[in-house]
């Protein structure tokens, strides 16, 4: 479904088709070097209109006729994004064992595409890391995804540092924005709090650790943890930062069908 952006050829003749129009794919050559595509979605993307969201993982979308059930991979609140009437791009899925025939990819909000695929955040981070495109991780390289932690559980990445040591990195996808400020979480997250406690334990044992918020939309000026939604998460984040856990944020943009890095060092405001 997705592929690394470096595989895109400048002479790629493909186009993706939605229910209303055919849109040419921008070639990799059309991007400035710092905006080279990181990921490219293969196949067609269908444009529809959101009807409603019957549960956390399903959104009903009208393409041409009757509404279709579409899988929504982001269980967050998504207020202001997954709203009736908003335009959504979906990828058809040919799997008879699935209850839905489409995956939700991105929603257009005020002229900006907001990704609703949190799993892409890990793929995007891995690719910017490979390109040495994040100043805070200059010289780092990926050793393993989803490594088992010394005590229990897993984190998202085990990386090698420029000093030939190892570090653990946790990734969080963020899409909620208010007045140019990206905020996480947009729903209470016990899982997120558990991940921070794991980083805290690793840091106390002498390991280098980081958490990176990947904001999957470009219309932001800074990142701030969302105290009104989950004050315990915010307090934990401040606590782990004080003991040495790196807290970082980057932004990406989606220009169908390409994902690109937009800001490699989004300011973090701990409030």
């Amino acid at each position: 479904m997705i592929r690394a952006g470096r595989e895109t050829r400048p002479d790629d003749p493909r186009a993706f088709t939605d229910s209303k129009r055919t849109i040419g794919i921008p070639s990799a050559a059309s991007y400035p070097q710092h905006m080279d595509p990181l990921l490219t979605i293969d196949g067609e993307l269908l444009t529809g209109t959101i009807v409603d969201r019957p549960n956390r993982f399903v959104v009903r979308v009208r393409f041409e006729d009757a509404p279709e059930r579409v899988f929504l991979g982001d269980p967050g609140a998504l207020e202001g994004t997954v709203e009736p009437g908003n335009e959504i791009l979906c990828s058809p899925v040919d799997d008879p064992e699935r209850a839905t025939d489409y995956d939700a990819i991105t929603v257009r909000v005020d002229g900006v595409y907001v990704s609703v695929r949190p799993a892409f955040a890990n793929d995007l981070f891995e690719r910017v890391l490979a390109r040495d495109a994040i100043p805070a991780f200059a010289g780092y390289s990926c050793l393993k995804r989803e490594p088992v932690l010394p005590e229990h559980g897993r984190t998202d990445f085990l990386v090698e540092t420029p000093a030939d040591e190892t570090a653990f990195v946790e990734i969080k996808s963020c899409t909620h924005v208010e007045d140019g400020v990206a905020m996480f979480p947009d729903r209470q997250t016990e899982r997120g709090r558990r991940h921070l406690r794991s980083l805290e334990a690793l840091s106390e044992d002498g390991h280098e650790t980081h958490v990176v918020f990947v904001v999957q939309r470009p219309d932001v000026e800074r990142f701030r943890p969302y105290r009104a939604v989950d004050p315990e998460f915010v307090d934990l984040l401040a606590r782990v930062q004080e003991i040495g856990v790196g807290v970082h944020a980057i932004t990406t943009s989606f220009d169908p069908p390409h994902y690109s890095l937009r800001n490699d060092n989004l300011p973090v405001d701990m409030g």
Side-chain angles (χ1 to χ4, degrees), residues 40-62:
T40 296
I41 297 178
D42 287 322
E44 62 180 352
L45 289 172
L46 302 181
T47 300
T49 302
I50 296 174
V51 176
D52 57 19
R53 184 184 184 183
N55 63 58
R56 291 173 67 182
F57 295 101
V58 172
V59 60
R60 292 201 309 150
V61 175
R62 185 181 301 279

Side-chain angles (χ1 to χ4, degrees), residues 176-183 219-225 269:
H176 184 76
V177 171
E178 294 183 10
D179 299 324
V181 180
M183 307 175 78
D219 56 336
V220 299
E221 299 174 355
R222 63 188 185 276
F223 170 84
R224 180 189 304 149
D269 175 9

